[in-house]
Amino acid sequence: LDVVLITGDVYIDSPFDGTAAVGKWLIANGFKVGVISQPDILTPMDITRLGCPKLFWGVSAGCVDSMVANYTATKKKRHLDDLTPGRENNRRPDRAVIKYVNLIKQHYKNSKPIVIGGIEASLRRVAHYDYWDDKIRRSVLFDSKADYLLYGMAESSILELATALKNDSEVKNIHGLCYISKAPTNGYIELPSFEAVSSSHSEFEKMFDIFYKNTEPIVAKGLYQKTGERYLIQNPPVNYPTQEELDKYYEMDYEYDAHPYYKSQGKIVALETIKQSITSHRGCFGECNFCAIAVHQGRKIVSRSKDSVLREVANIAQKKNFNGIIYDVGGPSGNMFEMTCKKQDKYGSCPDKRCIFPTICKAMNINHDKYIELLEAVRQVDGVQRVFVSSGLRYDLIMEDRQNGDKFIEELAQNYVSGQLKIAPEHISKHTLKAMGKSIDNSHLVAFKNKFLEYSKKFKKKQFLTYYFIAAHPDCAVPDMFELKNFLKSELKAKPEQVQIFTPTPSTYSTLMYYTGRDPLSGKQVHVEKSISRKQIQKDTIVSKKNIRRR
């Protein structure tokens, strides 16, 4: 084999699986690829079954950071894992990227290069705050002792790397690649050192600001960060894929199923939700402070062509066990399909302005017409009986769409909801929403709720909204949760159970606030709840039937 890929997930041959996506792309370009899924780190049996690859090992923790997959926000062990056969959470080790690299090195003393990637490596590529250790950790490239790190969506960069290694040519100028060097790279921007950010909140804030502003492919510079006597070198990010490239990525010969070897070991819950779902676009210009999509996928929306989506749907509809239902057509925010900004396309995202916070920028084309057309076209594909929208929707965009927002709500209520539609207000307290980087105008939420229920009634459908909220986010205290509880009762007439406690994950502004106790944009101190028991109280204020004291 040319390449052997290691993943912390069960192997699902679907474009929703990052390992499958990069593996298929390498195969489509002439490389021989093998996959080892969830290897046992205590024995050589799994890691040696395919032998040593000719070119490199590719290591990923899977679709989720292993610490998030293994522990709750209150640091309790998770017992269930939807990406493991039988659902028992016993196959993905903590800090999986580091463990898998060590496993390879243990059994292959003169190994070919080891390349780490996926969400865990991507978001831990520079010095970062780690919630579970409660300290600043070095780049995972140092801690794992891998040779290279590919960050972001890596189809193009992994192909370029494989080609360079095959031809024995230079790899250290590939975009989207990180490596360790004895010296900094000329022309790159210096980040405060690991030692500096470990001892100073202001230096950590400075580092993150530079890091975040250099994630935009059109304008980003290369970065370097001194760690000990060596340097982490981060090359500029890969360019956004073109629509034609994105179409190719999603139209490869996927099975839309789990590998039989793993499927025989137990039910794979995640498979049921993704095997008949469609990705319509990548990226998100929402830039919520607690979300890392902007860092990993980018802020620019890159949409597939309608014809490409329809070809994929037709392919799925021909599968043996297709039940007539497409469970989702969407992306990180489902309703951003084909929404673009001409300035962003030409100059990149604005360095000092966000697209929809604190208000929606007039330069952004907020129109649901193309998404409405796409959903209607998917419904017409032979064999398709129902189409649902399961991706989270930005209701503020819907309410701001003066041309087709109302029509979109009507279409949703009539055709694309399977009983419940999920939206994520996250909170209603204005100062908490501001810390989250979300609109503080709650009138959009109430107006959307009323419209959706009005149209559901019109079409005689018993349909509901499911609300997702976050407790214990920076600048949120128990009184703010009581404010939310009263709002739910008086305005939404709801008692939601979908409340999660904020988990600080690497490479987000919310995690920066959690660690420093400051809003990096204003410099003001914010309340940060670090007591696990009081975090739980915040959540219980909404979901518990017990009386919680307001204090």
Side-chain angles (χ1 to χ4, degrees), residues 286 288 333 335-336 356 368 392-398 438-439:
C288 296
S333 285
N335 57 318
M336 288 184 180
I356 57 177
H368 290 77
L393 298 177
R394 288 291 303 231
Y395 56 83
D396 50 349
L397 297 184
I398 299 171
K438 293 184 71 82
S439 170

Side-chain angles (χ1 to χ4, degrees), residues 313-476:
V313 173
N315 181 32
I316 291 174
Q318 294 172 6
K319 297 293 182 182
K320 181 179 177 181
N321 297 320
F322 181 62
N323 63 0
I325 301 173
I326 297 296
Y327 289 104
D328 188 31
V329 180
S333 285
N335 57 318
M336 288 184 180
F337 178 73
E338 289 280 11
M339 290 188 186
T340 59
C341 166
K342 291 182 179 179
K343 291 182 179 180
Q344 187 186 42
D345 290 344
K346 187 175 182 179
Y347 302 109
S349 299
C350 298
D352 55 353
K353 185 179 181 182
R354 295 192 179 189
C355 297
I356 57 177
F357 176 80
T359 58
I360 296 174
C361 178
K362 292 181 180 179
M364 181 59 68
N365 174 35
I366 306 299
N367 194 328
H368 290 77
D369 57 341
K370 298 297 184 183
Y371 193 35
I372 293 171
E373 290 174 12
L374 178 66
L375 293 171
E376 175 59 30
V378 172
R379 288 173 58 210
Q380 303 306 317
V381 173
D382 287 346
V384 174
Q385 300 171 18
R386 294 295 309 273
V387 178
F388 298 132
V389 173
S390 301
S391 297
L393 298 177
R394 288 291 303 231
Y395 56 83
D396 50 349
L397 297 184
I398 299 171
M399 301 313 297
E400 285 287 337
D401 180 358
R402 308 303 181 191
Q403 300 177 71
N404 288 291
D406 193 77
K407 180 181 178 182
F408 181 60
I409 300 173
E410 183 175 15
E411 290 284 334
L412 270 177
Q414 184 176 11
N415 300 308
Y416 304 116
V417 178
S418 61
Q420 296 185 71
L421 178 68
K422 63 182 181 183
I423 58 174
E426 312 299 4
H427 217 286
I428 56 86
S429 169
K430 291 187 177 182
H431 63 90
T432 304
L433 287 169
K434 186 177 179 181
M436 291 177 169
K438 293 184 71 82
S439 170
I440 62 174
D441 187 356
N442 290 312
S443 64
H444 283 146
L445 174 57
V446 177
F448 178 80
K449 180 211 71 167
N450 291 337
K451 278 283 185 184
F452 177 76
L453 295 181
E454 175 188 324
Y455 280 121
S456 294
K457 185 177 181 181
K458 173 183 175 180
F459 298 117
K460 296 180 172 58
K461 294 198 171 187
K462 192 174 182 181
Q463 298 177 155
F464 307 93
L465 289 172
T466 298
Y467 304 96
Y468 286 77
F469 294 100
I470 295 177
H473 186 276
D475 217 7
C476 178

